[in-house]
Amino acid sequence: RDLTARATFRGLMEREENDFFEAEGIGLKAGQNPDLSAALSYQSNSSIEDVRSNAYFGVVGLDYDGRYIADGLVRRDGSSLFGPEERWHTYYRVSGAWRMAQESWWAFPQIGEFKLRFSRGTAGGRPSFADQYETFTFAASGALQKAVLGNAALKPERATENEFGLDA
């Protein structure tokens, strides 16, 4: 009866689609209709970016007698921004706290709260859409050349953080 527990399970789905179009004309004369067909030369570029991601995560929290507190999370993320072999990654968070001022042996009644806490968690960042793809362009001579190398094995950046604290 002194233990309180809670659990949450969630899912997240995201989809982002961006359509781009860019046109540039050279040699438009003043006074003419600024229509690209009136330019001496013009070029246009277009692209579509379709980004999809899914995440599933569970959180469990425990509190024993208002003195001992623990929390944990596991998250599984999938994203189309990563390479084909690196679509899914797992992250976590764990934390714990001890409210020492709630103990029967606490000898400082003027200090109503004294809590030691620790947490550790991981997170990842997504790259931009174009980072995983090779792109090509035409040189002035008309030859095809690589513009961006791309990375088919692209993974998320990963960070781990530890936090220690004292609340009083």
Side-chain angles (χ1 to χ4, degrees):
R1 67 176 194 219
D2 293 333
L3 179 66
T4 302
R6 64 176 161 68
T8 305
F9 299 96
R10 295 183 182 169
L12 173 68
M13 293 174 38
E14 297 175 308
R15 181 170 183 191
E16 177 183 339
E17 186 174 306
N18 298 305
D19 297 330
F20 296 99
F21 179 79
E22 175 184 55
E24 177 181 323
I26 298 172
L28 290 168
K29 296 190 167 107
Q32 288 184 342
N33 184 0
D35 185 333
L36 284 179
S37 63
L40 294 175
S41 68
Y42 70 92
Q43 66 180 29
S44 64
N45 297 309
S46 65
S47 67
I48 297 174
E49 294 180 0
D50 189 12
V51 178
R52 296 177 188 213
S53 62
N54 295 316
Y56 307 96
F57 54 98
V59 181
V60 174
L62 302 171
D63 181 317
Y64 181 74
D65 197 26
R67 292 181 289 170
Y68 311 106
I69 304 164
D71 187 73
L73 172 139
V74 174
R75 180 175 173 136
R76 185 88 170 133
D77 280 358
S79 176
S80 64
L81 294 174
F82 305 135
E85 301 298 318
E86 299 293 337
R87 294 278 190 237
W88 290 92
H89 292 271
T90 302
Y91 304 97
Y92 69 90
R93 178 191 75 221
V94 293
S95 63
W98 178 24
R99 296 181 67 206
M100 295 173 64
Q102 303 303 310
E103 298 289 351
S104 60
W105 49 261
W106 185 252
F108 307 101
Q110 64 277 24
I111 301 175
E113 181 65 74
F114 193 89
K115 177 171 64 173
L116 296 175
R117 58 183 168 76
F118 169 76
S119 62
R120 177 182 178 95
T122 58
R126 297 179 188 168
S128 69
F129 180 82
D131 289 344
Q132 65 179 311
Y133 298 107
E134 291 183 340
T135 61
F136 297 87
T137 187
F138 288 101
S141 65
L144 191 62
Q145 64 185 25
K146 268 192 180 177
V148 176
L149 295 178
N151 185 352
L154 196 60
K155 297 179 185 181
E157 67 176 346
R158 194 168 188 91
T160 301
E161 181 177 303
N162 295 309
E163 179 181 292
F164 300 89
L166 173 94
D167 298 337

